[in-house]
Amino acid sequence: MLVQSLVPLIVDAGVPIASYYVLSDGFGLGAVAALGWSSVVPALRTVWGLVRSRAVNGLALLMLVVNVVGLATSVVAGDARLMMAKDSAVSSTVGIAILLSLRTRRPLMTAGLKPWVAKGGPAGNAAWDRLLTSSERFRRAERRFSAIWGGTLLTECVLKVIGAYTLPVHTMVWLGTVLSVVAILVAMIVAGGSCAEPMEKMVKAEIERAAGAASEAGETAHPAPAAGAGAAVGSAG
């Protein structure tokens, strides 16, 4: 499970870094060209994920559109620092979209949160839906999860913009990725500990409560024979 979770991070972070240095140092490409080509693999992976799932993931689609538009703009401008700042535009746009989604019935981060909390089973999904309707604490945790991710991505954006225009491009290639990885880890730890784990416990408790209620309903519908009736039958025999 851990290895499977790390694969997207390796592809989206490690491959572009390696590609940039291979293309710039090994093949002598300029900074703009190397940055442009190194962004192709993550974009293709996102497209493939959308095609394979045959479903529109709002967050993945948003990131793809922002990446493509930002990459096209920076390539036309021919500015390597603008291309580096483009990454921060991705973080800021996604972060703002996540925060704006808090005003909707389904925050953007819920798409990834629900399978993790409900474990993907019918009992877990049903418990999630019941809690979402009946528990204010559960709804607050769901929204706080997205709020933490949105705020973290906006903070990452500010740091990347500052670095893109104050540090050498060669340095920001790896440092920008480090900032992204740190931001993801911070959001995972903070949002996981304060939101996902309590929600998971609430779902588990709701599943147990529903199972207990169903068991009691079954016993009520099919009561055990009374002791007196059994004794009467025995004496009649």
Side-chain angles (χ1 to χ4, degrees), residues 42-52 64:
L44 290 177
R45 189 189 72 80
T46 303
V47 172
W48 171 244
L50 291 171
V51 172
R52 183 180 58 183
L64 176 62

Side-chain angles (χ1 to χ4, degrees), residues 136-216:
E136 178 62 27
R137 179 188 169 203
F138 192 83
R139 291 193 295 270
R140 282 200 306 267
E142 180 199 22
R143 277 166 164 67
R144 187 165 62 247
F145 185 87
S146 284
I148 291 171
W149 273 96
T152 302
L153 290 175
L154 285 179
T155 302
E156 177 204 355
C157 159
V158 173
L159 295 176
K160 278 189 173 181
V161 169
I162 294 173
Y165 287 98
T166 58
L167 297 174
V169 172
H170 243 47
T171 301
M172 272 305 296
V173 168
W174 64 264
L175 183 57
T177 301
V178 169
L179 290 174
S180 296
V181 172
V182 170
I184 291 172
L185 291 176
V186 168
M188 287 176 63
I189 293 172
V190 176
S194 64
C195 306
E197 290 183 7
M199 292 175 73
E200 189 175 353
K201 292 178 181 178
M202 292 174 70
V203 166
K204 183 178 180 181
E206 174 62 19
I207 292 174
E208 294 174 352
R209 185 202 66 77
S215 177
E216 291 179 3

Side-chain angles (χ1 to χ4, degrees), residues 26-235:
F27 291 90
L29 266 66
V32 173
L35 285 169
W37 283 109
S38 65
S39 302
V40 171
V41 173
L44 290 177
R45 189 189 72 80
T46 303
V47 172
W48 171 244
L50 291 171
V51 172
R52 183 180 58 183
S53 64
R54 296 182 181 179
V56 178
N57 184 314
L59 186 58
L61 186 60
L62 174 64
M63 293 183 69
L64 176 62
V65 171
V66 173
N67 261 309
V68 171
V69 173
L71 182 59
T73 302
S74 53
V75 168
V76 171
D79 187 346
R81 292 191 180 277
L82 179 59
M83 293 188 73
M84 298 302 304
K86 176 265 301 179
D87 291 338
S88 67
V90 174
S91 299
S92 64
T93 303
V94 174
I96 291 171
I98 291 174
L99 293 176
L100 290 177
S101 73
L102 295 176
R103 301 179 63 86
T104 69
R105 295 182 61 184
R106 186 179 175 86
L108 273 177
M109 294 304 295
T110 296
L113 175 63
K114 183 177 180 179
W116 182 267
V117 171
K119 306 303 182 187
N125 289 331
W128 170 288
D129 293 338
R130 288 194 299 272
L131 287 168
L132 204 58
T133 301
S134 62
S135 174
E136 178 62 27
R137 179 188 169 203
F138 192 83
R139 291 193 295 270
R140 282 200 306 267
E142 180 199 22
R143 277 166 164 67
R144 187 165 62 247
F145 185 87
S146 284
I148 291 171
W149 273 96
T152 302
L153 290 175
L154 285 179
T155 302
E156 177 204 355
C157 159
V158 173
L159 295 176
K160 278 189 173 181
V161 169
I162 294 173
Y165 287 98
T166 58
L167 297 174
V169 172
H170 243 47
T171 301
M172 272 305 296
V173 168
W174 64 264
L175 183 57
T177 301
V178 169
L179 290 174
S180 296
V181 172
V182 170
I184 291 172
L185 291 176
V186 168
M188 287 176 63
I189 293 172
V190 176
S194 64
C195 306
E197 290 183 7
M199 292 175 73
E200 189 175 353
K201 292 178 181 178
M202 292 174 70
V203 166
K204 183 178 180 181
E206 174 62 19
I207 292 174
E208 294 174 352
R209 185 202 66 77
S215 177
E216 291 179 3
E219 292 176 359
T220 303
H222 303 87
V233 172
S235 60

